[in-house]
Amino acid sequence: MISGFSSALCVRPVVSFSNNIRGVHNHGRVTCLATSMSSASMTVAKDAEYELESRKYELLNIIQDTQRGLVTTADQRSTIEEAMVVVEGFDAGKEIDLSKLDGTWRLQYTSAPDVLILFESAARLPFFQVGQIFQKFECQNESRGGLVRNVIKWSVPRLLEENEGATLIVSARFSCVSARNIYLKFEEIGLQNINISDDLQAVIAPAILPRSFLSLQILQFIQTFKAQIPVTSPERQSVGGLYYLSYLDKNMLLGRAVGGGGVFIFTRAHALIC
C-alpha cells in the first residue's frame, strides 16, 4: 500500500509537470505566431498605403503643367488616364462615404468640354480671367445625398480684382443612385462677391474727401450685389447629369461625368468663402 502510494506520488507530478511545460510551449508558439501574423499584416498595410500615396503623387505630378487640362497632348491625356485608373484601383467597389465627400474640393485637372471652354476663353480674351474652381459638397449628416455647389472665381482685369473679382455659383441637389454614382439636379445659378479694382473704386468714389453719399452707395451696392437665377420652373424640367465618383479619400477626389463628359481631379481645399 505504502509502496504503491509512494510510486503514485512520484509519477503523477512528473506527468503533470510535463504537460504544463508542453502547454506553455504551445501557448508560446501560438502567441509568437499571432504576433508574427499581426506584424506581417501591419507591414502589408503600410506598404499598400505607401504605394497608394506614391501613385497619387505621380498623378498630380503628371497634370502639374497642363494648366488644369487646357494644355495637353493626346499622349499626355492617355498617360493621365492610365495614372487615374491605377489610383482608382485602390478604391474599387467601395461605397461612397458621404462624411469624406463633405467639404470643399479644388479642381486640379479636367477634360470636360464645358469647363475647358472657360479656360480657352480666358486664354484668348484679354478682358476675361478664370481663377480657382471648386466643388463644395454639403452632406455631412446625410445618408443618400445632399447639396453641391460648383464655385468659379473669375474676373475682368482693371475693373475687378485679379482672378477673384467675382464668384459664380452653380448649385445642385445630388442623390446616391448606386455605390459610386450620384445624380445631379441643377437648381440655381448665382453671382456674388464682386470685388472691384482699386482703379474702378477711384473712378466711382475718388480718394479726395469728402466722398459723396451717392458714390458710397454705388460702391456698397456693387460689393454686396447678389443675383440668383433658378434653372428650374414648373414649365421647364431641371437639367441633370450622372456623375461617377471613381476614387475618394480624405485628400483626393476623382470623378467621371457619365456619357463622355470628361474626367475631374480634385484635391481637398481647407477653406473657401462663397
Side-chain angles (χ1 to χ4, degrees), residues 35-127:
T35 303
S36 177
M37 291 176 65
S38 177
S39 178
S41 298
M42 290 177 63
T43 301
V44 170
K46 287 182 178 179
D47 289 346
E49 183 179 358
Y50 176 79
E51 178 70 13
L52 171 58
E53 293 302 318
S54 297
R55 296 301 185 182
K56 287 162 58 179
Y57 175 80
E58 288 176 8
L59 175 57
L60 293 177
N61 191 51
I62 292 170
I63 64 174
Q64 186 174 8
D65 297 323
T66 65
Q67 297 183 33
R68 293 181 288 182
L70 175 62
V71 183
T72 57
T73 64
D75 288 342
Q76 282 178 308
R77 289 191 292 272
S78 178
T79 301
I80 292 168
E81 174 65 24
E82 291 174 2
M84 283 187 65
V85 169
V86 170
V87 174
E88 290 166 345
F90 286 89
D91 199 36
K94 297 179 183 178
E95 192 170 352
I96 300 168
D97 186 342
L98 293 183
S99 64
K100 286 184 181 178
L101 183 62
D102 184 81
T104 303
W105 301 86
R106 186 194 307 270
L107 180 68
Q108 302 292 349
Y109 172 87
T110 186
S111 61
D114 55 342
V115 180
L116 290 179
I117 194 171
L118 294 177
F119 300 153
E120 291 168 357
S121 298
R124 289 197 310 264
L125 304 174
F127 54 84

Side-chain angles (χ1 to χ4, degrees), residues 138-170:
E138 298 177 12
C139 51
Q140 181 64 49
N141 299 314
E142 303 291 339
S143 59
R144 297 302 301 169
L147 179 68
V148 58
R149 291 186 173 93
N150 295 288
V151 181
I152 303 171
K153 303 286 188 177
W154 62 279
S155 183
V156 177
R158 300 185 66 82
L159 296 181
L160 304 177
E161 288 186 4
E162 188 172 353
N163 290 323
E164 296 192 359
T167 302
L168 180 69
I169 301 177
V170 182

Side-chain angles (χ1 to χ4, degrees), residues 182-229:
I182 62 175
Y183 183 77
L184 302 177
K185 186 178 180 181
F186 295 100
E187 295 186 333
E188 186 179 80
I189 299 174
L191 177 65
Q192 62 186 58
N193 296 346
I194 298 177
N195 302 309
I196 63 177
S197 67
D198 292 340
D199 291 342
L200 183 56
Q201 285 191 49
V203 172
I204 297 174
I208 301 174
L209 296 176
R211 291 182 172 182
S212 71
F213 175 77
L214 177 60
S215 64
L216 291 176
Q217 287 292 98
I218 293 173
L219 280 177
Q220 185 178 11
F221 172 78
I222 294 173
Q223 292 167 350
T224 59
F225 177 80
K226 186 175 182 179
Q228 294 175 314
I229 304 171

